[in-house]
Amino acid sequence: MVEAPTADRMKWANALSTRSSLEAAIEEVVERAQERLGVAANFGILFISAAFASEYSRLMPLLKERLSVPTLIGCSGGGIIGVDSSGEAQEVEMEPALSLSLAYLPEVKIQAFHVTAEELPDLDSSPDAWVKVIGVSPEDQPHFILLVDPMSSKLNDLLQGLDFAYPGSIKVGGLASANAMGGNNGLFCNYELLREGIVGVALSGKIVVETIVAQGCRPIGPTYRVTEGERNILLGLEVQTEEDLGASNGQGRTPLTVLQELIQEMSEEDRSLAQHSLFVGVARNAFKQTLEQGDFLIRQVLGVDPRVGAIAIGDRVRPGQRVRFHLRDAEASADDLRNLLERYCQQNSDSPTSEAALMFSCLGRGEGLYGEANFDSHLFSRYFGNIPLSGFFCNGEIGPIGGSTFLHGYTSVFGILRQA
């Protein structure tokens, strides 16, 4: 039995089970999470391993027999993140796992929703059209957790539409995933199994959601300004200095020439890495003079055209934007997350204690990247202590860069929650 809430303090608890029996896993996470929470929960979020794919239809009926939390969302993942019986965060990859977070959120409005791609307004629609679909007023200043079927179309439209209708609201989440053997994905909303669309929850009131978006790259070479670009194709670059933040100096060169010169200056190890792990970071803040790690939206290099020296990337570009080449490997990924965690802690040293965190990590990270298990989650815990951490390994990660929300790859997005 859990007691009725007696305080105005937010509380979170998580439990992780690695039992291969679904019934046993449900029994373990419900019992432990309720015991750790100690009060009646009004919100829950659940992540289930793709190893249970054949049993997704049984999950909600079995859970409902043991749990009465009024609002619950969740999804499937190729790997699951949660807190084990000793209180330590664990990343369980390629094995059966179930992670359940329960929360008591006083003075927080909790609104779950399910939207299909067909129900989404087009990008020419007014903010009111988006508000009508989501069912939450912008005046509530909600923050969003989004769990998405990876086969759903119009995801980028959804993120742009939510930013348009709810400016200033944080949106974090990920695309449901299966394991290496494939299989179906599952979404869950208020004890119902869903196979398509977007499941989400809007949290408004006395709650703060902050983010760390670790894209796993390190910059190489100088920052450049785009002198010529068309759609997603870089056609001209010039070196950007702090002194000439304004107009172009008219010395643009072909991006391929710039890149070839940069590669010649690299170490042999970096040259080898650039053959398969070269990316372009696009600065999202046009007015920030000194750009730092985390100010760039990392996008893939899709191809080059030697005839004109152009480089195609996975994002739209326009003249005047600043870009920088990046490399990605395990060491860069570790350093990137470490630097972002240190900066967050320095900038928030006077803030109230964080109560919990959600982790949405790419399937391409984890043990396959680092050669060891639990790297990102344990590094996070070194800076935040053993606050309840839960999440899953995604087919794509959702988080903000420079005030706008994007779908990322090879990224770990942390949503950090505390009471307002």
Side-chain angles (χ1 to χ4, degrees), residues 380-398:
F380 179 86
S381 296
R382 280 182 221 162
Y383 289 86
F384 283 83
N386 289 325
I387 64 172
L389 177 66
S390 65
F392 73 105
F393 285 86
C394 314
N395 256 326
E397 304 75 55
I398 296 168

Side-chain angles (χ1 to χ4, degrees), residues 359-372:
M359 175 177 163
F360 305 99
S361 189
C362 179
L363 286 164
R365 291 175 73 106
E367 192 168 359
L369 174 65
Y370 295 111
E372 62 179 280

Side-chain angles (χ1 to χ4, degrees), residues 83-123:
V83 178
D84 65 14
S85 58
S86 67
E88 188 172 49
Q90 299 290 333
E91 303 168 22
V92 183
E93 303 180 58
M94 309 297 292
E95 295 178 8
L98 186 66
S99 175
L100 174 66
S101 288
L102 297 178
Y104 167 58
L105 306 178
E107 299 182 66
V108 175
K109 182 179 178 182
I110 306 165
Q111 176 69 50
F113 55 88
H114 171 239
V115 182
T116 64
E118 292 74 20
E119 294 174 307
L120 294 178
D122 60 52
L123 291 180

Side-chain angles (χ1 to χ4, degrees), residues 196-246:
E196 63 175 342
I198 302 100
V199 161
V201 67
L203 303 173
S204 52
K206 294 188 67 174
I207 186 168
V208 174
V209 181
E210 295 170 324
T211 59
I212 291 173
V213 180
Q215 299 177 87
C217 286
R218 59 180 166 87
I220 53 170
T223 298
Y224 299 94
R225 180 165 43 207
V226 178
T227 59
E228 187 179 359
E230 183 179 344
R231 298 188 303 276
N232 68 322
I233 301 172
L234 295 168
L235 295 167
L237 297 176
E238 64 182 6
V239 174
Q240 169 73 64
T241 66
E242 293 185 8
E243 289 74 25
D244 65 353
L245 191 60

Side-chain angles (χ1 to χ4, degrees), residues 223-386:
T223 298
Y224 299 94
R225 180 165 43 207
V226 178
T227 59
E228 187 179 359
E230 183 179 344
R231 298 188 303 276
N232 68 322
I233 301 172
L234 295 168
L235 295 167
L237 297 176
E238 64 182 6
V239 174
Q240 169 73 64
T241 66
E242 293 185 8
E243 289 74 25
D244 65 353
L245 191 60
S248 168
N249 59 29
Q251 297 178 358
R253 296 183 298 152
T254 70
L256 188 55
T257 299
V258 168
L259 178 60
Q260 288 169 336
E261 291 180 0
L262 184 59
I263 289 175
Q264 290 302 313
E265 298 170 0
M266 290 181 185
S267 66
E268 186 174 339
E269 183 179 356
D270 280 356
R271 278 195 212 107
S272 176
L273 190 60
Q275 297 298 314
H276 55 80
S277 297
L278 178 70
F279 297 82
V280 172
V282 182
R284 301 307 306 177
N285 189 329
F287 304 103
K288 186 175 182 181
Q289 192 158 354
T290 302
L291 296 171
E292 302 175 280
Q293 203 161 354
D295 290 332
F296 293 93
L297 175 65
I298 304 300
R299 287 301 187 234
Q300 287 184 302
V301 174
L302 301 179
V304 300
D305 184 346
R307 297 171 302 169
V308 295
I311 297 178
I313 69 171
D315 198 14
R316 285 184 169 271
V317 294
R318 64 178 186 276
Q321 280 184 311
R322 290 172 289 172
V323 300
R324 194 172 184 183
F325 291 101
H326 286 69
L327 292 176
R328 176 180 280 142
D329 61 6
E331 183 179 357
S333 185
D335 289 342
D336 177 47
L337 178 55
R338 189 177 294 110
N339 291 337
L340 291 170
L341 287 165
E342 288 177 357
R343 188 191 310 170
Y344 177 91
C345 291
Q346 290 170 359
Q347 294 175 346
N348 295 274
S349 58
D350 296 329
S351 298
T353 303
S354 302
E355 299 291 343
L358 299 170
M359 175 177 163
F360 305 99
S361 189
C362 179
L363 286 164
R365 291 175 73 106
E367 192 168 359
L369 174 65
Y370 295 111
E372 62 179 280
N374 307 314
F375 188 92
D376 282 357
S377 59
H378 285 189
L379 182 57
F380 179 86
S381 296
R382 280 182 221 162
Y383 289 86
F384 283 83
N386 289 325

